[in-house]
């Protein structure tokens, strides 16, 4: 266990905003950065792209719609780091240009992932956040931070 090593984790990080967050964390965060993705090939490709830039993220498979996947990640974090320092909940889905899918189905699928999946990640991982840690609900959602600033 590397409990003295800080760790930041970004969900949904194989492309877009999540990928950019991982890149910046790799450059600025003093500790390990874990890139997660639900598709292993895409996640590993993203890690390889960052490694080609001289960065060193770690990869872990995570499907936020799958409680077993979330718990496997939780167990990995406990075993490897004894907890979590930074959690960025970026994973989510959006239907774009798929007008053939009925709105009620789009709504159900979107809520399952973007609300319930994120809730399940928080339920399993927030108890692991170390006292000095923080949680960011991502740029698509509101941010909630643990006690980072000194008391007033």
């Amino acid at each position: 266990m590397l409990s003295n090593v800080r760790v930041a984790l970004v969900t949904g990080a194989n492309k877009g905003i999540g990928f950019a967050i991982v890149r910046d964390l790799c450059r600025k965060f003093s500790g390990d950065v874990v890139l997660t993705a639900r598709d292993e090939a895409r996640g590993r490709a993203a890690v390889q792209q960052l490694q080609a830039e001289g960065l060193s993220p770690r990869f872990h498979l995570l499907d936020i719609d799958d409680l077993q996947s979330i718990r496997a990640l939780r167990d990995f974090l406990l075993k490897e780091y004894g907890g979590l320092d930074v959690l960025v909940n970026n994973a989510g889905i959006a239907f774009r240009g798929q007008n053939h899918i009925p709105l009620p189905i789009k709504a159900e699928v979107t809520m399952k992932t973007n609300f319930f999946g994120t809730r399940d990640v928080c339920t399993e991982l927030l108890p692991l956040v170390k006292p000095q840690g923080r949680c960011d609900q991502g740029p698509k959602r509101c941010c909630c931070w643990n006690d980072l600033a000194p008391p007033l």
Side-chain angles (χ1 to χ4, degrees):
M1 176 172 66
L2 305 169
S3 61
N4 59 332
V5 175
R6 296 176 66 208
V7 61
L9 180 126
V10 183
T11 69
N14 62 288
K15 63 182 181 177
I17 294 170
F19 183 80
I21 292 170
V22 169
R23 178 184 281 133
D24 277 355
L25 283 170
C26 284
R27 291 178 179 155
K28 298 174 183 174
F29 180 71
S30 69
D32 288 352
V33 179
V34 180
L35 179 154
T36 70
R38 67 179 173 205
D39 182 285
E40 187 165 4
R42 290 182 192 163
R44 293 203 183 277
V47 166
Q48 288 177 343
Q49 184 179 343
L50 292 168
Q51 288 171 336
E53 297 176 18
L55 304 173
S56 301
R58 295 187 72 178
F59 173 72
H60 201 285
L61 190 64
L62 174 64
D63 179 351
I64 69 169
D65 287 334
D66 180 354
L67 196 52
Q68 287 183 329
S69 178
I70 298 168
R71 289 181 174 159
L73 175 61
R74 177 201 63 199
D75 294 346
F76 162 79
L77 292 168
L78 281 171
K79 180 181 175 199
E80 292 290 317
Y81 300 99
L84 182 61
D85 294 284
V86 177
L87 171 61
V88 180
N89 279 315
N90 179 69
I93 63 166
F95 288 92
R96 293 189 178 111
Q98 298 172 344
N99 293 329
H100 65 281
I101 299 172
L103 183 59
I105 298 206
K106 288 180 186 179
E108 182 178 343
V109 171
T110 301
M111 288 295 294
K112 180 177 188 269
T113 300
N114 295 358
F115 176 76
F116 292 106
T118 300
R119 180 205 60 191
D120 291 345
V121 167
C122 289
T123 298
E124 295 296 327
L125 298 187
L126 285 181
L128 276 59
V129 175
K130 297 172 186 174
Q132 75 282 6
R134 64 199 238 179
C135 172
D136 182 345
Q137 292 299 110
K140 296 176 277 190
R141 302 169 187 91
C142 65
C143 296
C144 68
W145 302 90
N146 281 1
D147 186 17
L148 293 176
L152 298 176

